[in-house]
Amino acid sequence: MKKVGIIMGSDSDFPVVEKAVNTLKEYGVPTRVHVYSAHRTPAEAKSFAENARKEGYGAIICAAGMAAHLAGAIAANTTLPVIGIPIKAKALEGIDALLSTVMMPPGIPVATVGIDGAQNAALIAIEILSVSDESLAEKLQEARDKKAAAIREKDRELSEKYSID
Ligand code: RP5
């Protein structure tokens, strides 16, 4: 199976990124995690992106806050799919990172999830790998079915408890 790379701009991003790591672990996806910053360690970030395809990665998740150019910088150096997680920092509540990550000029895409949307980032990476991996496709469907069953149960409970004749 292809690997997923998770890159974050700072170890201070990890409390959010951990949800992506856990989701990939749940699905049994080989994952490598690194702190590479587009501005503090740009050489490492560039080298990772340039070598990722030949090293067996299928998707790269990039998490960064503030003027978050990490996902764009990684995408500039690979044609693998790059998924950006805008991290919520204090000053602008993550709007800064959201706009920096999502507003890529045409030609170098970054698939951007919501602010702190680490679980969805992992799920998109898994969906990408599932195109050529039937067991992942089955696991994704099972998880959806389970979620839908749980919601139906909640519907039944609330409906019984609060409906008024
Ligand atoms: C970004 O700056 C990082 O991704 C992090 O979200 C933010 C703050 O970094 P630290 O100052 O906490 O290392 O590059």
Side-chain angles (χ1 to χ4, degrees):
M1 191 190 298
K2 296 279 186 192
K3 290 182 282 194
V4 171
I6 303 184
I7 314 297
M8 68 207 91
S10 167
D11 65 335
S12 68
D13 299 324
F14 190 72
V16 171
V17 172
E18 193 172 15
K19 293 184 194 82
V21 178
N22 291 341
T23 301
L24 287 156
K25 197 173 176 187
E26 244 171 68
Y27 280 80
V29 175
T31 301
R32 300 290 178 270
V33 181
H34 293 283
V35 178
Y36 295 144
S37 164
H39 47 277
R40 292 167 177 158
T41 57
E44 283 87 341
K46 182 170 188 275
S47 162
F48 177 86
E50 282 173 346
N51 294 309
R53 188 181 288 276
K54 65 173 179 278
E55 287 183 1
Y57 288 90
I60 303 172
I61 294 171
C62 297
M66 304 178 79
H69 37 263
L70 179 61
I74 293 289
N77 289 292
T78 181
T79 52
L80 287 172
V82 173
I83 302 154
I85 309 173
I87 300 286
K88 180 176 168 179
K90 281 182 197 147
L92 296 171
E93 300 285 325
I95 297 293
D96 43 0
L98 173 64
L99 296 179
S100 306
T101 306
V102 77
M103 291 302 293
M104 284 297 289
I108 312 291
V110 170
T112 305
V113 295
I115 296 168
D116 287 354
Q119 190 193 41
N120 273 358
L123 288 171
I124 290 173
I126 295 163
E127 288 173 357
I128 289 166
L129 300 196
S130 79
V131 170
S132 56
D133 188 309
E134 195 50 41
S135 74
L136 281 182
E138 281 166 17
K139 281 184 192 167
L140 284 164
Q141 191 57 54
E142 278 164 23
R144 290 275 176 107
D145 294 345
K146 218 169 139 187
K147 200 160 282 176
I151 299 295
R152 284 186 198 109
E153 180 57 21
K154 293 286 173 204
D155 168 56
R156 201 185 53 75
E157 280 171 21
L158 260 85
S159 172
E160 268 176 22
K161 196 167 172 184
Y162 295 109
S163 292
I164 299 166
D165 288 322

